[in-house]
C-alpha cells in the first residue's frame, strides 16, 4: 500500500508540466552583474543618505556660532558615522546570502535568521543609542538659547518628536525580532 | 549512480568553462526539479520566475567553488533550497505567520471535494498543501516527492536520519489520508 502511494504521489509530482526554463551562460553572467550592480547601488544609496545627513550636519556645524550647537552637530555627525560603520559590518545591505552552497539547509536557515535577528534585536545599540547624545545636546542647546520663543512648548515638541521616532523604530524592530525568534524556535522544534 | 560514484566522477572546476559546463549539466539534469521546487516555494508567477532565475544564477556561481566533496545532486538541492529559504525569509512579514508544520497539517481535516478527482486539481491541492509548510518541512516533503531517500535528505538538510525518517513517515501518513479522502480516483 505504502509503495503504491509512494509511486502515485511521486509520479503525480514529477509528471507535472514545467516550462523548462533555460538560461544561457551569457544570460547568467548578465544577471549576476545586474545583481551586483543592484547591491552596489543599494549600498551607495544607504551610504549617500547617511553622508548627506552628515554633510548637512557638517554645514550646520560650520555655520553655528556657539559651542553648544557645534557640539550637538558634531555628536550627530559621529552618530551617523557610527551607524554607517555598523551597517557595513553587519552586512545588512547584502542581498545574496553567504555560504549558500556549503551549509546544510538547517545551518543556512539558522544562520540567516540569526544574522537578521542580531540586526533588529540590537537596533538600540547600533541605531538609536548613538543618536541619544545628540538629542540630549540638542535639548540643552535649546534651553541655553537666550532669546528662544515659547521655550517649553518648543522643547516639549522637540522631545516628543525624538521620543515618537525612537519608539516607532524600536517597536517595529521589536516586532520583527519577535517574528524572527518565532521562526528560530520553529526551526529548533522542527529539527528535534 | 551512488553518491560515492558521483563524487568520484566530478572534477574540480579549474576554469570558467568548467564552471559553465557543470552548470549546463546540472540545468539539463535537474532543470525540471528546480522548476517544481520554485513552484512549491512561491505561488505568485512573477515572483516564482525571479526565484527560479535566482536559483539558476546562484547555482552557476556556486560551481566556481564546487570541490566534489559531496555529490552534485546534494550540492544542487542544497543551493536551490537555501536560495528558496532565503526567499521565504525575505517574504516573512506577509506570509510566514501562516506557515504550519507537518504535525499541525496532520490534524487538519482533509478536503474531500469531488473535483479532487481531476489530476491537475489534485496537483494544485498538493502544491497548496506544500506551500503551507515551514521551509524545513517543505524541504523534506519536496525531497521525498523527488524520490530522494532518507540518507540523501539528511545530507542536504543536516537533519538526523531518525528525524528525516520520522518526517517522511508523517508525510506518508498525511498523503495517504489525503489521497484516500480527497484524491483517490485521480488515476
Amino acid at each position: 500500500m505504502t509503495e503504491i502511494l509512494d509511486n502515485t504521489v511521486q509520479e503525480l509530482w514529477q509528471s507535472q508540466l514545467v516550462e523548462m526554463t533555460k538560461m544561457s551562460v551569457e544570460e547568467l553572467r548578465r544577471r549576476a552583474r545586474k545583481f551586483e550592480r543592484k547591491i552596489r547601488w543599494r549600498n551607495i544609496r544607504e551610504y549617500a543618505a547617511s553622508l548627506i545627513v552628515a554633510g548637512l550636519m557638517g554645514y550646520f556645524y560650520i555655520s553655528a556660532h556657539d559651542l553648544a550647537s557645534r557640539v550637538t552637530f558634531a555628536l550627530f555627525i559621529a552618530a551617523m558615522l557610527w551607524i554607517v560603520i555598523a551597517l557595513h559590518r553587519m552586512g545588512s545591505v547584502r542581498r545574496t546570502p553567504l555560504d549558500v552552497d556549503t551549509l546544510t539547509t538547517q545551518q543556512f536557515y539558522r544562520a540567516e535568521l540569526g544574522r537578521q535577528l542580531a540586526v533588529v534585536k540590537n537596533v538600540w545599540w547600533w541605531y538609536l543609542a548613538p543618536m541619544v547624545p545628540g538629542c540630549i545636546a540638542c535639548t540643552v542647546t535649546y534651553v541655553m538659547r537666550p532669546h528662544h520663543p515659547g521655550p517649553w512648548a518648543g522643547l516639549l515638541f522637540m522631545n516628543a518628536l525624538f521620543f515618537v521616532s525612537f519608539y516607532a523604530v524600536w517597536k517595529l524592530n521589536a516586532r520583527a525580532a519577535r517574528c524572527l525568534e518565532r521562526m528560530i524556535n520553529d526551526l529548533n522544534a522542527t529539527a528535534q | 549512480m551512488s553518491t560515492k560514484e558521483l563524487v568520484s566522477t566530478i572534477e574540480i572546476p579549474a576554469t570558467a568553462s568548467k564552471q559553465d559546463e557543470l552548470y549546463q549539466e546540472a540545468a539539463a539534469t535537474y532543470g525540471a526539479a528546480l522548476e517544481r521546487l520554485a513552484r512549491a516555494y512561491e505561488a505568485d508567477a512573477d515572483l516564482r520566475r525571479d526565484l527560479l532565475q535566482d536559483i539558476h544564477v546562484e547555482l552557476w556561481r556556486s560551481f566556481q567553488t564546487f570541490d566534489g566533496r559531496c555529490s552534485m545532486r546534494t550540492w544542487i538541492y542544497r543551493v536551490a533550497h537555501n536560495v528558496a529559504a532565503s526567499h521565504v525569509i525575505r517574504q516573512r512579514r506577509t506570509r510566514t505567520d501562516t506557515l504550519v508544520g507537518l504535525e499541525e497539517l496532520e490534524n487538519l481535516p482533509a478536503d474531500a471535494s469531488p473535483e479532487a478527482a481531476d489530476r491537475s486539481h489534485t496537483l494544485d491541492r498538493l502544491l497548496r498543501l506544500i506551500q503551507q509548510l515551514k521551509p524545513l518541512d517543505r524541504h523534506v516533503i519536496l525531497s521525498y516527492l523527488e524520490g530522494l531517500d532518507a540518507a540523501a535528505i539528511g545530507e542536504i538538510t543536516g537533519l538526523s536520519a531518525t528525524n528525516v525518517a520520522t518526517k517522511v513517515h508523517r508525510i506518508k501518513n498525511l498523503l495517504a489520508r489525503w489521497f484516500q479522502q480527497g484524491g483517490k480516483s485521480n488515476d
Side-chain angles (χ1 to χ4, degrees):
Chain A
M1 169 66 199
T2 315
E3 205 172 309
I4 295 167
L5 172 76
D6 281 352
N7 294 340
T8 309
V9 74
Q10 286 174 346
E11 190 267 329
L12 174 74
W13 177 255
Q14 290 172 28
S15 67
Q16 61 182 296
L17 287 175
V18 289
E19 291 166 23
M20 277 309 286
T21 304
K22 279 185 183 163
M23 290 177 82
S24 66
V25 171
E26 288 70 35
E27 210 178 334
L28 287 164
R29 286 207 176 93
R30 194 176 48 78
R31 202 169 158 95
R33 276 198 298 270
K34 197 177 153 192
F35 280 165
E36 277 151 22
R37 267 203 308 273
K38 206 170 163 181
I39 299 164
R40 203 179 311 129
W41 275 110
R42 200 165 66 176
N43 286 348
I44 288 170
R45 272 202 309 273
E46 294 260 356
Y47 300 142
S50 307
L51 286 176
I52 286 169
V53 177
L56 199 68
M57 292 292 157
Y59 170 76
F60 291 145
Y61 175 87
I62 292 165
S63 51
H65 297 297
D66 57 303
L67 181 68
S69 299
R70 285 195 165 195
V71 169
T72 302
F73 295 126
L75 286 170
F76 277 126
I77 292 169
M80 292 312 298
L81 293 176
W82 175 275
I83 291 167
V84 170
I85 292 166
L87 269 174
H88 182 75
R89 286 177 66 180
M90 288 182 300
S92 63
V93 288
R94 194 174 63 223
R95 185 192 185 281
T96 311
L98 296 175
D99 303 325
V100 76
D101 45 8
T102 53
L103 298 178
T104 64
T105 313
Q106 193 189 167
Q107 291 168 329
F108 173 83
Y109 197 39
R110 186 170 284 125
E112 266 299 287
L113 290 173
R115 188 179 69 81
Q116 293 196 19
L117 180 64
V119 174
V120 294
K121 210 172 182 178
N122 296 325
V123 70
W124 175 252
W125 299 111
W126 70 265
Y127 189 73
L128 297 176
M131 303 291 275
V132 171
C135 292
I136 292 171
C138 191
T139 306
V140 172
T141 309
Y142 186 87
V143 172
M144 282 167 58
R145 264 163 57 182
H147 306 296
H148 52 81
W152 300 116
L155 194 66
L156 274 175
F157 176 75
M158 191 170 72
N159 280 291
L161 198 68
F162 285 147
F163 179 79
V164 169
S165 317
F166 276 46
Y167 183 75
V169 171
W170 173 75
K171 200 72 187 163
L172 282 171
N173 280 275
R175 199 172 73 171
R178 276 199 304 278
C179 177
L180 286 163
E181 274 169 344
R182 220 170 25 240
M183 289 167 83
I184 290 171
N185 290 339
D186 281 347
L187 180 68
N188 291 337
T190 309
Q192 275 167 11
Chain B
M1 191 184 266
S2 73
T3 304
K4 273 185 183 169
E5 283 168 329
L6 266 171
V7 171
S8 63
T9 55
I10 291 161
E11 292 170 31
I12 299 167
T15 59
S17 67
K18 190 70 197 168
Q19 175 192 3
D20 298 348
E21 266 174 42
L22 281 170
Y23 165 74
Q24 274 158 354
E25 188 190 329
T29 316
Y30 294 96
L34 294 179
E35 216 157 307
R36 291 192 288 269
L37 182 143
R39 199 174 281 179
Y41 274 97
E42 181 53 68
D44 181 273
D46 290 335
L47 291 174
R48 186 165 62 237
R49 201 171 305 120
D50 282 350
L51 170 62
L52 188 61
Q53 289 185 348
D54 282 358
I55 291 172
H56 277 273
V57 171
E58 281 308 321
L59 200 57
W60 170 72
R61 209 183 259 169
S62 77
F63 280 126
Q64 226 171 3
T65 54
F66 181 69
D67 54 9
R69 263 183 289 182
C70 63
S71 74
M72 196 185 213
R73 183 181 66 174
T74 300
W75 183 272
I76 292 165
Y77 277 119
R78 193 177 276 175
V79 170
H81 278 285
N82 286 349
V83 174
S86 181
H87 175 82
V88 171
I89 296 172
R90 279 206 299 273
Q91 306 285 328
R92 71 176 188 273
R93 282 192 187 138
T94 49
R95 302 185 194 170
T96 305
D97 284 348
T98 59
L99 299 181
V100 295
L102 274 170
E103 307 78 18
E104 295 153 87
L105 215 55
E106 274 179 315
N107 297 326
L108 291 176
D111 171 14
S113 72
E115 298 161 279
D118 175 57
R119 193 181 171 86
S120 72
H121 189 77
T122 309
L123 195 56
D124 282 348
R125 285 180 58 238
L126 180 60
L127 256 175
R128 280 205 299 276
L129 181 123
I130 296 168
Q131 284 164 353
Q132 285 179 60
L133 285 169
K134 287 169 183 164
L136 214 51
D137 283 340
R138 203 181 312 194
H139 187 159
V140 176
I141 197 170
L142 282 173
S143 303
Y144 161 75
L145 289 171
E146 290 295 343
L148 270 67
D149 59 23
I153 299 173
E155 195 185 359
I156 300 166
T157 56
L159 293 171
S160 69
T162 321
N163 200 343
V164 173
T166 310
K167 283 184 184 297
V168 170
H169 179 72
R170 276 199 166 123
I171 290 165
K172 284 182 180 178
N173 280 346
L174 175 73
L175 293 174
R177 193 171 62 102
W178 185 78
F179 262 71
Q180 278 161 10
Q181 293 184 31
K184 200 175 185 177
S185 56
N186 76 81
D187 50 11

